[in-house]
Amino acid sequence: MNRRNFIKGAIALTVAAMINPTELFGTATAATALKWWQKKSVYQIYPKSFLDTTGSGTGDLRGITRRLDYIASLGVGAIWLTPVYVSPMVDNGYDIADYTAIDPRFGTLADFDELVAEAKARDIRIIMDLVFNHTSDKHPWFIESKSSRDNPKADWYIWRDGKKNSAPTNWRSIFGGSAWQWCDERQQFYLHSFATAQPDLNWENPAVRRALYDAANFWLNRGVGGFRIDAIVYIKKPRNFVDGPADADGTCSVHNMTAATPGILDFLHEFRREVFDGHDIFTVAEANSVKPEDLPAWVGERGVFNALFEFSHVNIMFPHGEVWHRAELFKLSDFKRALSDSQRATRDSWYPIYFENHDKPRSVDNFFPHGTDKILAAKALATILFTLRGTPFIYQGQELGFANAAFDSIDAYDDISSRGQYDLARADGLSDKEALRFVQKFSRDNARTPMQWDSSPNAGFTDGKPWLPVHDDFATVNADVESRDENSVLNFYRRLSDFRNSSDVLIRGDYRELLPASEELYVFERTLADKKICTAVNFTTHDVAIPAKIFDGARKIFGNYPDEKNFLRPTEAIIYEL
Ligand code: GLC
């Protein structure tokens, strides 16, 4: 950019800020000292699929410890472990039967302590997943609670009488089917927002809350660096349980009836006081349906958590609720608006940047048009991940450019929600083929196929039979091959991560979106004092002109093409310094 244009740009920016001060944001971090979790990224591990050291076909804690140097090479400051507690594994660990013990499939408490210590030696903290909305139906608390209507834990869960032998309300669980399950022993129904085997806890009972806080403190005492708090928006239920507006099948998603019920923040502030306060930890909660404008009440000094995974940018395909076969086409301007709204809403707090996790399809297949080159797409998304304002979250395999794995029959899917979504689609009149198409696109198993370490059988994940098939691209998409290739997705991640970790502008700078109406380009800039970095990504499969006014004279410092043109090629991503 030449000097005249730069000055013009600066004046325009200042005027824009005067007219609408919310256009410039992110200044809060400039004034205060940074926390460790703001300076580096987080790597998310799904232990079941990471590395198996016993030949069981299932990953384990020792496998994670063995790969710590690999994880450290990504420049991360923490690892978020999805649940490793004792569990019947109906929902792969999100159905917990003992909050303070490690499931033998994953190892022992001694293995856990070793992981914490070895990670610490590499300046990496372990973040535990707290699943406090529900337990497993095999948890001793539930076994006692269901045994009678007057045992000491009788009201630890949500029990209701039915209406003339039918469920108390028309609520549908998030995994499909009624959210109520009849229990012969008590002659009552219990509520389960997720699977039948995941009964919801009754947070109104102070003894329940105390027991949960004690469990969290158990892990803090073992030296964990923080928590990812699961499905937290559902813990508070409405005072009255009534039928909700019915879909065609007569049911109403429990999500619409219970998410973020008023009063929930009182519970959460107590949680913060009893567990988080006084510790140098990172807390990030999963909060589907908390809108960007509500974020200030949930995060930051006056809120409860350090950051919140809200779903607005990953749910843009689901404007009518998260039923897969009602998905709409991806629209770039919606995606950008969601991200910008969240960046704006967290200008005084913090934001966890994520495009993948264990519940979402692989991003190279999710946010780009059909026919997009997957390597370019993986690098393009990485470019956004590391240049937005907040802590980047990398989900295992994302740094290798993992793609969706389509299985050819519903029976091949392990994920309980994929089966529920398939049944919903079939009940709505879709053929087997049509229903399967949506499962292939959105199944959580897309993110759960085993890590691909090398080109040996089962991608080096296990010597046994993997619990879920390895993706058939493993011979070329794996950590070993990619670490030896300078141009791989993996080495792109490593370089970008180093760059982000050492860039004050990227860590502290303000965020401002340019060209918000474009359905082709995502362009934003980060500014700190007189320094400016600009990210531009072409989301199409054709060439797109670069608006000269924005980039004239800018210096390219990163890109997913080796050279530079005066237009953006398909899926091209560039970081400019201005
Ligand atoms: C969260 C988890 C998901 C789990 C659900 C129920 O959404 O991320 O994997 O199935 O909660 O615990």
Side-chain angles (χ1 to χ4, degrees):
M1 183 185 281
N2 65 35
R3 203 178 141 71
R4 223 180 41 211
N5 275 350
F6 180 81
I7 294 170
K8 259 203 243 155
I11 293 172
L13 255 175
T14 317
V15 172
M18 281 159 54
I19 297 169
N20 179 3
T22 60
E23 279 310 298
L24 279 171
F25 38 87
T27 43
T29 35
T32 51
L34 290 169
K35 301 275 203 269
W36 61 265
W37 40 267
Q38 295 176 307
K39 295 187 206 160
K40 288 186 177 177
S41 312
V42 177
Y43 189 75
Q44 185 195 345
I45 293 187
Y46 200 67
K48 197 172 177 186
S49 302
F50 195 65
L51 180 65
D52 170 22
T53 61
T54 66
S56 66
T58 294
D60 47 56
L61 291 174
R62 286 188 170 187
I64 300 171
T65 308
R66 202 178 279 178
R67 286 291 187 267
L68 281 172
D69 287 335
Y70 169 82
I71 297 164
S73 79
L74 288 160
V76 304
I79 293 171
W80 152 25
L81 285 187
T82 62
V84 287
Y85 316 97
V86 170
S87 165
M89 299 282 164
V90 170
D91 187 20
N92 282 335
Y94 283 91
D95 46 320
I96 297 173
D98 185 345
Y99 282 111
T100 55
I102 300 289
D103 193 285
R105 292 175 186 87
F106 294 127
T108 61
L109 262 182
D111 294 334
F112 180 80
D113 291 341
E114 187 190 11
L115 171 61
V116 171
E118 286 293 323
K120 192 171 168 211
R122 292 163 178 83
D123 200 21
I124 294 175
R125 273 95 158 164
I126 300 297
I127 292 180
M128 294 296 267
D129 209 317
L130 295 181
V131 187
F132 280 180
N133 175 66
H134 45 266
T135 67
S136 159
D137 61 348
K138 301 292 181 293
H139 195 296
W141 299 345
F142 186 73
I143 293 174
E144 186 174 344
S145 187
K146 75 172 184 178
S147 65
S148 67
R149 293 189 187 200
D150 54 10
N151 68 75
K153 293 199 169 50
D155 63 349
W156 277 44
Y157 293 82
I158 316 268
W159 294 100
R160 287 287 185 282
D161 295 327
K163 291 184 299 196
K164 291 192 209 133
N165 292 333
S166 70
T169 65
N170 67 346
W171 300 355
R172 184 178 69 242
S173 84
I174 289 163
F175 291 159
S178 172
W180 296 99
Q181 177 65 28
W182 176 253
C183 171
D184 274 339
E185 279 156 285
R186 272 181 68 137
Q187 294 285 304
Q188 267 185 318
F189 287 89
Y190 67 85
L191 180 71
H192 59 92
S193 297
F194 293 89
T196 313
Q198 291 169 302
D200 282 38
L201 284 158
N202 177 16
W203 271 68
E204 301 296 334
N205 183 334
V208 170
R209 305 204 298 275
R210 183 73 262 155
L212 294 173
Y213 304 151
D214 288 349
N217 283 321
F218 172 90
W219 295 102
L220 277 183
N221 292 335
R222 289 200 106 81
V224 305
F227 300 110
R228 177 265 186 186
I229 303 104
D230 185 69
I232 200 67
V233 288
Y234 303 114
I235 59 169
K236 175 90 184 172
K237 316 296 186 216
R239 190 178 296 273
N240 298 315
F241 286 16
V242 292
D243 281 354
D247 286 338
D249 65 352
T251 66
C252 168
S253 171
V254 67
H255 170 90
N256 299 343
M257 304 307 289
T258 63
T261 297
I264 187 171
L265 285 163
D266 296 337
F267 284 156
L268 294 179
H269 278 286
E270 180 186 81
F271 189 175
R272 172 184 164 162
R273 281 195 305 276
E274 296 292 327
V275 181
F276 309 157
D277 281 354
H279 296 277
D280 179 21
I281 54 172
F282 184 33
T283 58
V284 52
E286 184 200 33
N288 184 3
S289 85
V290 171
K291 299 199 173 51
E293 59 268 29
D294 297 327
L295 281 172
W298 290 71
V299 293
E301 268 314 302
R302 281 174 295 115
V304 177
F305 307 104
N306 298 133
L308 211 70
F309 291 122
E310 39 91 10
F311 283 37
S312 52
H313 67 296
V314 288
N315 269 1
I316 49 170
M317 285 83 118
F318 303 106
H320 319 295
E322 282 173 69
V323 174
W324 295 351
H325 62 279
R326 291 187 204 131
E328 305 226 325
L329 287 180
F330 173 81
K331 198 168 159 216
L332 182 62
S333 56
D334 289 345
F335 180 66
K336 297 190 298 180
R337 188 179 318 111
L339 286 167
S340 290
D341 284 352
S342 303
Q343 291 274 295
R344 180 176 298 115
T346 52
R347 55 180 292 195
D348 296 323
S349 56
W350 202 242
Y351 180 69
I353 314 154
Y354 76 99
F355 298 115
E356 292 190 18
N357 61 34
H358 63 293
D359 294 331
K360 297 287 163 217
R362 291 295 183 174
S363 51
V364 295
D365 290 303
N366 203 23
F367 301 117
F368 295 90
H370 187 68
T372 300
D373 178 285
K374 293 194 187 193
I375 294 180
L376 287 175
K379 293 177 179 176
L381 226 11
T383 307
I384 300 172
L385 181 72
F386 287 107
T387 56
L388 285 173
R389 180 179 172 278
T391 298
F393 276 71
I394 307 163
Y395 176 66
Q396 69 182 46
Q398 183 179 345
E399 78 281 12
L400 299 170
F402 274 22
N404 282 351
F407 303 147
D408 54 15
S409 136
I410 188 63
D411 299 330
Y413 284 87
D414 170 89
D415 168 32
I416 189 165
S417 83
S418 300
R419 290 161 179 265
Q421 290 280 352
Y422 176 86
D423 291 344
L424 269 176
R426 295 288 275 145
D428 255 11
L430 273 70
S431 69
D432 163 67
K433 218 168 139 199
E434 287 163 338
L436 191 60
R437 202 161 52 82
F438 285 101
V439 170
Q440 289 167 338
K441 182 147 178 57
F442 295 116
S443 173
R444 307 193 301 176
D445 281 348
N446 284 314
R448 299 175 180 185
T449 59
M451 262 300 268
Q452 296 165 197
W453 293 108
D454 56 39
S455 310
S456 67
N458 294 324
F461 163 70
T462 179
D463 292 337
K465 184 175 181 304
W467 72 277
L468 200 65
V470 174
H471 196 294
D472 54 18
D473 65 8
F474 77 91
T476 49
V477 180
N478 69 56
D480 178 46
V481 164
E482 292 194 33
S483 35
R484 287 184 277 111
D485 172 3
E486 264 313 291
N487 293 320
S488 65
V489 175
L490 175 61
N491 281 317
F492 192 82
Y493 261 80
R494 287 174 172 159
R495 287 193 295 270
L496 255 184
S497 176
D498 281 350
F499 175 62
R500 186 261 173 201
N501 290 353
S502 59
S503 163
D504 246 13
V505 184
L506 290 182
I507 297 178
R508 298 169 184 265
D510 300 328
Y511 166 94
R512 179 168 177 263
E513 188 190 344
L514 307 171
L515 311 177
S518 169
E519 295 296 352
E520 299 178 316
L521 302 181
Y522 184 18
V523 184
F524 59 86
E525 60 185 22
R526 305 288 312 283
T527 40
L528 186 70
D530 60 348
K531 292 202 188 114
K532 186 183 286 189
I533 284 175
C534 185
T535 297
V537 177
N538 177 0
F539 271 78
T540 75
T541 49
H542 54 259
D543 295 341
V544 177
I546 305 176
K549 271 196 201 115
I550 298 178
F551 301 110
D552 190 16
R555 188 171 71 91
K556 171 178 164 179
I557 45 177
F558 259 99
N560 58 355
Y561 279 78
D563 55 347
E564 198 179 357
K565 299 264 189 254
N566 56 359
F567 54 88
L568 287 172
R569 286 157 283 186
T571 329
E572 181 158 12
I574 300 187
I575 302 176
Y576 296 100
E577 202 168 49
L578 296 151

